[in-house]
Amino acid sequence: MTGTPRTNTSRHAILGVLSLCPMSGYDVKKLIERSIAHFWNESYGQIYPILNRLAAEGFAERRREKQRGKPDRYVYSLTAKGRQELERWLAVPARQEPARSELLLKLFLGSAGPVTDSVAQIEHYQARQREVLATYEDIERQLRKEMADHPQLPFSLLTLHYGQHRCRAMLAWCDESRRTLARLGTRRARAPGGAEARRRTGGRAWTPR
């Protein structure tokens, strides 16, 4: 297969979604939003061209369905060739993806501003993590109710628990970071000239080796 790594993974993501049941492009998008959007998402602009390519290359089969009072729709289902390709991809170790975080960038550069700004960044992030964790817990309760005894349930919970554990780890990191910043704020306030003078001078020059 050709294309960028992201495009290739998108193709396999949609192959995987089709392995659950036959779907239209609209169905694929809605299932993604209801299930894996907290760690993987695709736009309609990606989904429809990929579905067409999968059908053209024999990985999916397309059939036309008539709808009363609506335009006809195309439903895609996985072929044997598509299922073999999905199984091959599932066995390949996942790539390590580079991380980008504006929060961590601002904290790393925090010595250029008052400590209170860094504290505010942590507090905002901490509040968001609490909200996300509560959402994940609600989703788990709903899944256990709606998918009891369904073979997909343990796999859905694996990904959901990853998000829950990550949130709890981030909340612990927030508590630790706030304590660190509180101690730093106290030291700055006691420094000669006060916190503002200390911030303006930036302390000792430092460059990484």
Side-chain angles (χ1 to χ4, degrees):
M1 292 184 182
T2 61
T4 63
R6 163 73 194 198
T7 300
N8 281 340
T9 307
S10 294
R11 289 161 66 93
H12 289 102
I14 292 173
L15 272 177
V17 170
L18 290 180
S19 74
L20 301 176
C21 65
M23 299 184 204
S24 67
Y26 176 84
D27 296 332
V28 169
K29 176 63 174 171
K30 292 304 175 185
L31 186 141
I32 287 174
E33 290 176 349
R34 294 195 308 269
S35 57
I36 62 175
H38 60 284
F39 60 86
W40 191 272
N41 211 342
E42 303 288 352
S43 68
Y44 283 117
Q46 294 167 314
I47 290 170
Y48 284 106
I50 289 174
L51 285 171
N52 289 333
R53 288 199 297 272
L54 291 175
E57 296 169 8
F59 294 109
E61 185 178 57
R62 179 172 63 182
R63 73 175 186 274
R64 189 173 183 175
E65 284 190 354
K66 292 187 177 296
Q67 300 185 101
R68 180 175 294 180
K70 297 180 182 179
D72 294 350
R73 71 173 193 158
Y74 289 99
V75 174
Y76 297 79
S77 56
L78 214 57
T79 62
K81 180 181 177 181
R83 192 169 296 278
Q84 288 175 358
E85 174 58 21
L86 176 60
E87 290 176 357
R88 182 202 66 78
W89 176 76
L90 288 172
V92 176
R95 290 188 305 270
Q96 182 67 36
E97 298 182 359
R100 289 172 63 90
S101 169
E102 184 177 342
L103 170 65
L104 294 182
L105 178 62
K106 288 184 174 182
L107 292 176
F108 179 81
L109 301 173
S111 62
V115 174
T116 52
D117 284 351
S118 293
V119 172
Q121 293 287 349
I122 297 291
E123 289 175 342
H124 177 79
Y125 182 73
Q126 190 172 33
R128 176 58 182 153
Q129 290 301 303
R130 289 185 180 124
E131 292 173 359
V132 173
L133 179 58
T135 298
Y136 287 164
E137 290 171 343
D138 287 342
I139 291 172
E140 177 168 359
R141 284 190 288 270
Q142 184 177 354
L143 285 176
R144 290 188 180 279
K145 179 180 179 181
E146 296 179 356
M147 298 180 65
D149 300 323
H150 194 286
Q152 176 60 30
L153 178 61
F155 297 97
S156 296
L157 291 179
L158 281 176
T159 61
L160 191 60
H161 289 166
Y162 173 91
Q164 291 174 352
H165 283 297
R166 186 179 185 280
C167 283
R168 293 185 182 109
M170 290 301 96
L171 289 171
W173 170 78
C174 286
D175 288 337
E176 175 187 308
S177 299
R178 290 177 66 180
R179 290 192 296 268
T180 299
L181 291 171
R183 291 193 295 269
L184 176 60
T186 300
R187 288 201 303 271
R188 278 195 178 187
R190 293 173 179 171
E196 183 59 26
R198 175 69 174 171
R199 183 181 69 81
R200 285 199 303 268
T201 61
R204 293 174 295 170
W206 173 80
T207 55
R209 297 184 182 276

